[in-house]
Short mmCIF file of all heavy atoms in Angstrom, two decimals:
data_model
loop_
_atom_site.label_atom_id
_atom_site.label_comp_id
_atom_site.label_asym_id
_atom_site.label_seq_id
_atom_site.Cartn_x
_atom_site.Cartn_y
_atom_site.Cartn_z
N ARG F 675 -171.60 101.99 -5.67
CA ARG F 675 -172.08 101.30 -6.86
C ARG F 675 -171.03 100.33 -7.39
O ARG F 675 -171.32 99.19 -7.73
CB ARG F 675 -172.42 102.32 -7.95
CG ARG F 675 -173.91 102.54 -8.09
CD ARG F 675 -174.15 103.34 -9.32
NE ARG F 675 -175.01 104.48 -9.02
CZ ARG F 675 -175.21 105.47 -9.85
NH1 ARG F 675 -174.57 105.52 -11.01
NH2 ARG F 675 -176.02 106.46 -9.54
N CYS F 689 -169.59 80.78 -6.02
CA CYS F 689 -170.26 79.80 -5.19
C CYS F 689 -170.45 78.46 -5.89
O CYS F 689 -170.96 77.52 -5.30
CB CYS F 689 -171.61 80.33 -4.71
SG CYS F 689 -172.64 80.86 -6.06
N ASN F 696 -174.37 67.63 -8.64
CA ASN F 696 -175.44 68.54 -9.02
C ASN F 696 -176.80 67.98 -8.61
O ASN F 696 -176.91 66.81 -8.25
CB ASN F 696 -175.39 68.75 -10.53
CG ASN F 696 -176.09 70.00 -10.97
OD1 ASN F 696 -176.74 70.66 -10.17
ND2 ASN F 696 -175.96 70.33 -12.23
N TYR F 697 -177.82 68.82 -8.69
CA TYR F 697 -179.19 68.34 -8.43
C TYR F 697 -179.67 67.47 -9.58
O TYR F 697 -179.15 67.54 -10.68
CB TYR F 697 -180.14 69.53 -8.27
CG TYR F 697 -179.91 70.31 -7.00
CD1 TYR F 697 -178.85 71.20 -6.89
CD2 TYR F 697 -180.75 70.14 -5.91
CE1 TYR F 697 -178.62 71.91 -5.73
CE2 TYR F 697 -180.53 70.85 -4.75
CZ TYR F 697 -179.48 71.74 -4.67
OH TYR F 697 -179.27 72.43 -3.51
N TYR F 699 -183.24 65.81 -11.69
CA TYR F 699 -184.69 65.74 -11.86
C TYR F 699 -185.14 64.37 -11.38
O TYR F 699 -184.57 63.37 -11.78
CB TYR F 699 -185.08 65.82 -13.34
CG TYR F 699 -184.86 67.13 -14.03
CD1 TYR F 699 -183.96 67.22 -15.08
CD2 TYR F 699 -185.58 68.25 -13.66
CE1 TYR F 699 -183.77 68.41 -15.74
CE2 TYR F 699 -185.39 69.45 -14.33
CZ TYR F 699 -184.49 69.52 -15.37
OH TYR F 699 -184.31 70.69 -16.02
N GLY F 800 -134.68 45.68 -9.51
CA GLY F 800 -134.33 44.26 -9.41
C GLY F 800 -135.24 43.34 -10.19
O GLY F 800 -135.40 42.18 -9.83
N SER F 824 -141.77 40.18 -4.58
CA SER F 824 -142.37 41.51 -4.69
C SER F 824 -143.50 41.56 -5.72
O SER F 824 -144.25 42.52 -5.76
CB SER F 824 -141.32 42.54 -5.10
OG SER F 824 -140.47 42.77 -4.02
N TYR F 828 -151.85 38.07 -10.13
CA TYR F 828 -152.65 38.67 -11.20
C TYR F 828 -153.92 37.87 -11.48
O TYR F 828 -154.57 38.07 -12.49
CB TYR F 828 -151.80 38.86 -12.47
CG TYR F 828 -150.88 40.03 -12.30
CD1 TYR F 828 -149.74 39.92 -11.52
CD2 TYR F 828 -151.21 41.27 -12.81
CE1 TYR F 828 -148.93 41.01 -11.29
CE2 TYR F 828 -150.41 42.36 -12.59
CZ TYR F 828 -149.26 42.23 -11.83
OH TYR F 828 -148.48 43.32 -11.59
N CYS L 370 -175.19 80.39 -10.48
CA CYS L 370 -173.73 80.40 -10.48
C CYS L 370 -173.20 79.31 -11.38
O CYS L 370 -172.31 79.53 -12.18
CB CYS L 370 -173.20 80.13 -9.10
SG CYS L 370 -173.77 81.32 -7.97
N ARG L 390 -168.75 100.28 -17.08
CA ARG L 390 -169.56 101.14 -16.21
C ARG L 390 -168.64 101.87 -15.23
O ARG L 390 -168.72 103.08 -15.05
CB ARG L 390 -170.57 100.28 -15.47
CG ARG L 390 -171.42 101.00 -14.46
CD ARG L 390 -172.56 101.75 -15.15
NE ARG L 390 -173.33 102.52 -14.16
CZ ARG L 390 -173.43 103.84 -14.19
NH1 ARG L 390 -172.83 104.54 -15.13
NH2 ARG L 390 -174.15 104.47 -13.29
N ALA L 463 -134.95 43.47 -6.02
CA ALA L 463 -136.30 42.94 -6.07
C ALA L 463 -136.77 42.54 -4.67
O ALA L 463 -137.94 42.65 -4.34
CB ALA L 463 -136.36 41.75 -7.01
N LEU L 638 -182.12 75.11 -16.58
CA LEU L 638 -182.85 73.84 -16.59
C LEU L 638 -182.03 72.74 -17.26
O LEU L 638 -182.08 71.58 -16.87
CB LEU L 638 -184.19 74.00 -17.30
CG LEU L 638 -185.21 74.84 -16.54
CD1 LEU L 638 -186.45 75.07 -17.39
CD2 LEU L 638 -185.59 74.19 -15.22
N GLY L 642 -178.87 67.85 -13.28
CA GLY L 642 -178.59 66.43 -13.52
C GLY L 642 -177.31 66.19 -14.31
O GLY L 642 -176.96 65.05 -14.56
N ASP L 644 -173.31 66.39 -14.33
CA ASP L 644 -172.26 66.50 -13.32
C ASP L 644 -170.89 66.73 -13.92
O ASP L 644 -169.89 66.29 -13.37
CB ASP L 644 -172.24 65.24 -12.45
CG ASP L 644 -173.27 65.32 -11.35
OD1 ASP L 644 -173.39 66.39 -10.76
OD2 ASP L 644 -173.94 64.31 -11.09
N TYR L 670 -154.59 48.36 -16.49
CA TYR L 670 -153.88 47.62 -15.44
C TYR L 670 -154.74 47.60 -14.18
O TYR L 670 -154.95 46.54 -13.58
CB TYR L 670 -152.53 48.28 -15.13
CG TYR L 670 -151.72 47.51 -14.12
CD1 TYR L 670 -150.69 46.68 -14.51
CD2 TYR L 670 -151.99 47.60 -12.76
CE1 TYR L 670 -149.97 45.96 -13.59
CE2 TYR L 670 -151.28 46.88 -11.83
CZ TYR L 670 -150.26 46.06 -12.26
OH TYR L 670 -149.55 45.34 -11.33
#
Side-chain angles (χ1 to χ4, degrees):
Chain F
R675 256 191 231 169
C689 55
N696 201 352
Y697 290 78
Y699 291 117
S824 288
Y828 284 77
Chain L
C370 301
R390 176 80 183 118
L638 290 174
D644 276 319
Y670 183 100

